[in-house]
């Protein structure tokens, strides 16, 4: 696939996206997402919107489907972190245009996730990948950034009425803070209101179990699969809605 | 360095005293410690340094080396910190009955646990380099993160960092210049901190002593 894309790069240099019909343009956007081409994705989104596509339709058919392909190849070891970061940044460019329009139109969502790295931890590459992959899968993501004390998590969960809490840590010295957050949720009697997902290089399933998380997510692609699965168990209608919309 | 391979001592009835199983990123430093101390009770075998970026593979790779090493050596030691295995390496060491150098990562055992904790508290946004990482910065850090192909990702990787801290094992002006250049390349401030071999020297010396004492005891009985 990579070779094909490289060959296409030259051909695409002069490609006028406006000249493509909707079907070809969406296919081209899938390729552009795969190749991490930010400007092309932004242009493609604007073209589809100018053709009276609903923002939600652009999201699901052009971006979500494109990121789904990226996610599969990441999971299968065909794409690696740098390439997926490039795709995520391209996705971000598209989402910057769509996000306000989606909010206005009240489009359906898979669920709402609050995510951030824990107190003392500034390492956010994994967290950012998860954010974009989740957004690419149709979740609303409230990214509260790095170095978060428990108060930040709880405030964001309450403010946004979130379904999922995602916590990330790279350091063995900071990962125990995840238990502090989960214990705080228990103390407030709201632990079971949220799906709690944890991830980061030094974590494993045993750690996730020991701190009382719902799941350990080994990478961004797996996070999406687990989140979908757990949300389907909690509120299957959201997933069905999204799937039907994506399938057109 | 004596880097034993599978079956090196096959056919030899007598086991050698001690084997140090180490991260390939530490090979040069271990050799320096062994040479400087005249430590002749240990053989050394290394796992590939690139496991550093795939920590989920470390524990089982160490287990395989330990089992192989036990066939040829009386005492086996592990010169790996936890290295992002999330306790998996400790579990393997406990199951296999071997000890490892204490610490979360090599930065900690080079600098010393207390010193490193104080440095981390003072500046959590530090990116650490060792002699090994300075030597191999281009390949392991810059190209390893894809920055040679996608320089625009620099901010994605290093946007939250404020400084490069070079934990130097040796006083080497060339390496210091390279470390400074790396900091400039990453757009970060630079700090130099000489550690020497720190806990690596202490652990290696202790392992050598333990292996030789055990060997002597066997001889005397």
């Amino acid at each position: 696939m990579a070779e094909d894309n490289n060959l296409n790069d030259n051909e695409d240099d002069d490609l006028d996206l406006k000249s493509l019909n909707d079907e070809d343009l969406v296919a081209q956007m899938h390729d552009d997402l795969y190749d991490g081409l930010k400007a092309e994705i932004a242009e493609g989104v604007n073209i589809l919107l100018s053709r009276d596509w609903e923002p939600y339709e652009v999201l699901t058919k052009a971006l979500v489907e494109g990121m789904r392909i990226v996610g599969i190849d990441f999971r299968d070891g065909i794409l690696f972190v740098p390439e997926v970061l490039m795709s995520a940044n391209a996705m971000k460019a598209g989402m910057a245009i769509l996000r306000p329009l989606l909010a206005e139109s009240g489009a359906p969502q898979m669920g709402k996730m609050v995510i951030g790295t824990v107190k003392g931890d500034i390492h956010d590459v994994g967290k950012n990948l998860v954010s974009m992959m989740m957004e690419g899968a149709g979740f609303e993501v409230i990214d509260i950034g790095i170095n978060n004390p428990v108060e930040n998590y709880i405030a964001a969960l309450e403010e946004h009425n979130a379904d999922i809490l995602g916590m990330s840590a790279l350091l063995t010295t900071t990962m125990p803070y995840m238990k502090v957050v989960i214990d705080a949720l228990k103390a407030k009697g709201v632990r079971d209101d949220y799906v709690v997902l944890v991830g980061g290089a030094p974590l494993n399933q045993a750690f996730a179990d020991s701190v009382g998380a719902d799941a350990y997510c080994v990478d961004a692609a797996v996070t999406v699969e687990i989140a979908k699965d757990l949300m389907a168990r909690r509120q299957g209608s959201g997933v069905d809605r999204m799937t039907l919309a994506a399938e057109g | 360095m004596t880097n034993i391979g599978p079956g090196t001592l096959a056919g030899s009835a007598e086991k050698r005293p001690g084997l140090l199983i180490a991260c390939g990123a530490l090979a040069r430093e271990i050799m320096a410690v062994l040479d400087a101390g005249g430590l002749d009770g240990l053989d050394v075998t290394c796992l590939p340094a690139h496991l550093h970026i795939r920590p989920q593979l470390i524990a089982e790779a160490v287990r395989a080396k330990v089992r192989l090493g036990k066939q040829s050596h009386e005492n086996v030691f592990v010169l790996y910190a936890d290295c992002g295995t999330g306790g998996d390496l400790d579990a393997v060491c406990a199951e296999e009955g071997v000890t490892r150098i204490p610490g979360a990562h090599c930065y900690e055992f080079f600098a010393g646990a207390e010193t490193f904790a104080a440095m981390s508290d003072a500046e959590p946004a530090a990116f650490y380099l060792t002699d090994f990482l300075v030597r191999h910065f281009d390949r392991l850090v810059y190209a390893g993160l894809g920055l040679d192909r996608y320089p625009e990702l620099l901010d994605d990787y290093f946007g939250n960092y404020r400084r490069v801290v070079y934990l130097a094992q040796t006083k080497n002006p060339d390496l210091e210049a390279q470390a400074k250049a790396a900091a400039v390349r990453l757009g970060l401030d630079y700090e130099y901190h000489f550690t020497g071999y720190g806990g690596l020297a202490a652990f290696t010396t202790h392992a050598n002593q333990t292996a030789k004492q055990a060997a002597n005891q066997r001889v005397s009985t």
Side-chain angles (χ1 to χ4, degrees):
Chain A
M1 184 154 190
E3 274 185 17
D4 291 345
N5 285 337
N6 286 338
L7 289 174
N8 286 337
D9 280 347
N10 292 331
E11 294 169 16
D12 294 345
D13 282 346
D14 300 313
L15 183 61
D16 179 6
L17 294 179
K18 287 180 185 163
S19 69
L20 300 177
N21 65 34
D22 286 4
E23 189 182 345
D24 288 345
L25 176 57
V26 167
Q28 183 61 42
M29 287 175 71
H30 295 166
D31 283 351
D32 289 345
L33 261 180
Y34 196 93
D35 293 338
L37 303 178
K38 226 191 288 192
E40 285 77 357
I41 288 300
E43 187 184 353
V45 166
N46 282 325
I47 293 170
L48 290 174
L49 290 172
S50 73
R51 293 178 186 174
D52 294 330
W53 277 46
E54 288 297 320
Y56 184 70
E57 208 179 359
V58 180
L59 171 70
T60 52
K61 290 184 176 170
L63 301 189
V64 171
E65 176 58 15
M67 285 304 278
R68 189 185 69 81
I69 298 164
V70 170
I72 290 169
D73 279 5
F74 180 49
R75 182 197 65 198
D76 294 345
I78 297 166
L79 291 178
F80 297 95
V81 168
E83 287 76 24
V84 178
L85 274 175
M86 291 295 290
S87 296
N89 286 341
M91 169 85 187
K92 205 185 286 183
M95 284 306 298
I97 300 164
L98 289 178
R99 196 175 289 117
L101 303 175
L102 289 165
E104 279 172 20
S105 63
Q109 287 163 352
M110 298 282 284
K112 202 182 282 189
M113 178 191 219
V114 165
I115 188 169
T117 74
V118 297
K119 188 177 177 181
D121 210 313
I122 62 150
H123 304 91
D124 64 354
V125 171
K127 184 266 294 173
N128 293 342
L129 276 180
V130 169
S131 292
M132 288 314 298
M133 295 290 278
M134 288 289 286
E135 201 156 19
F139 288 85
E140 182 180 349
V141 178
I142 296 99
D143 186 340
I144 58 173
I146 60 170
N147 193 20
N148 286 288
V150 63
E151 297 80 14
N152 288 11
Y153 286 111
I154 289 175
L157 288 168
E158 289 174 351
E159 180 188 345
H160 297 283
N161 191 25
D163 306 295
I164 302 170
L165 168 61
M167 290 188 283
S168 170
L170 182 73
L171 304 175
T172 50
T173 48
T174 57
M175 66 190 212
Y177 195 78
M178 293 175 179
K179 185 168 188 318
V180 174
V181 178
I182 292 171
D183 286 349
L185 293 175
K186 284 179 185 168
K188 284 176 69 77
V190 296
R191 164 64 185 86
D192 293 337
D193 293 351
Y194 308 106
V195 169
V196 179
L197 306 179
V198 294
L203 277 67
N204 54 31
Q205 186 61 52
F207 175 82
D209 293 342
S210 74
V211 298
D214 290 305
Y216 159 64
C217 302
V218 69
D219 61 36
V222 167
T223 306
V224 169
E225 288 172 18
I226 290 174
K228 280 182 181 172
D229 181 49
L230 291 177
M231 286 304 293
R233 289 186 208 175
R234 283 167 68 102
Q235 43 173 255
S237 59
V239 175
D240 294 342
R241 245 192 346 257
M242 193 74 179
T243 305
L244 286 172
E247 287 170 353
Chain B
M1 176 174 57
T2 305
N3 195 344
I4 66 159
T8 297
L9 297 177
S12 171
E14 196 172 332
K15 289 185 177 181
R16 294 170 64 85
L19 177 67
L20 202 55
I21 295 170
C23 169
L26 303 171
R28 182 189 286 252
E29 286 71 23
I30 293 167
M31 280 309 300
V33 169
L34 292 178
D35 289 346
L39 308 181
D40 58 0
L42 293 175
D43 295 324
V44 181
T45 185
C46 292
L47 286 161
H50 65 74
L51 289 180
H52 191 72
I53 53 173
R54 301 189 70 188
Q56 68 275 20
L57 303 179
I58 291 174
E60 288 309 314
V62 168
R63 188 199 298 277
K65 279 277 189 192
V66 168
R67 290 186 174 175
L68 192 63
K70 281 180 174 175
Q71 295 172 22
S72 52
H73 290 77
E74 292 290 350
N75 295 278
V76 176
F77 307 91
V78 176
L79 217 165
Y80 259 100
D82 179 72
C83 281
T85 69
D88 286 353
L89 184 56
D90 280 332
V92 165
C93 288
E95 286 161 19
E96 300 297 328
V98 296
T99 55
R100 76 162 175 90
I101 189 167
H105 33 63
C106 58
Y107 315 127
E108 184 180 318
F109 65 64
F110 279 136
E114 283 183 21
T115 303
F116 186 80
M119 291 170 77
S120 300
D121 286 345
E123 179 50 283
F127 182 72
Y128 293 94
L129 294 176
T130 61
D131 284 10
F132 175 84
L133 287 173
V134 172
R135 280 195 184 90
H136 301 283
F137 179 82
D138 281 353
R139 183 171 58 86
L140 289 182
V141 179
Y142 208 77
L145 293 173
L147 289 169
D148 53 339
R149 290 167 287 144
Y150 310 112
E152 62 268 48
L153 292 179
L154 187 66
D155 199 50
D156 290 86
Y157 289 120
F158 292 99
N160 295 328
Y161 285 99
R162 280 193 284 268
R163 75 176 63 149
V164 163
V165 177
Y166 174 26
L167 301 174
Q169 283 67 68
T170 55
K171 291 182 175 170
N172 183 328
D174 289 342
L175 286 184
E176 199 180 346
Q178 288 177 50
K180 275 183 192 167
V184 169
R185 213 164 167 195
L186 299 180
L188 302 175
D189 294 339
Y190 173 75
E191 184 179 313
Y192 176 84
H193 185 91
F194 178 74
T195 67
Y197 297 115
L200 181 145
F203 182 81
T204 304
T205 304
H206 179 71
N208 182 73
Q209 199 175 11
T210 304
K212 290 195 83 167
Q213 278 174 354
N216 289 340
Q217 278 175 0
R218 274 192 305 279
V219 170
S220 63
T221 54

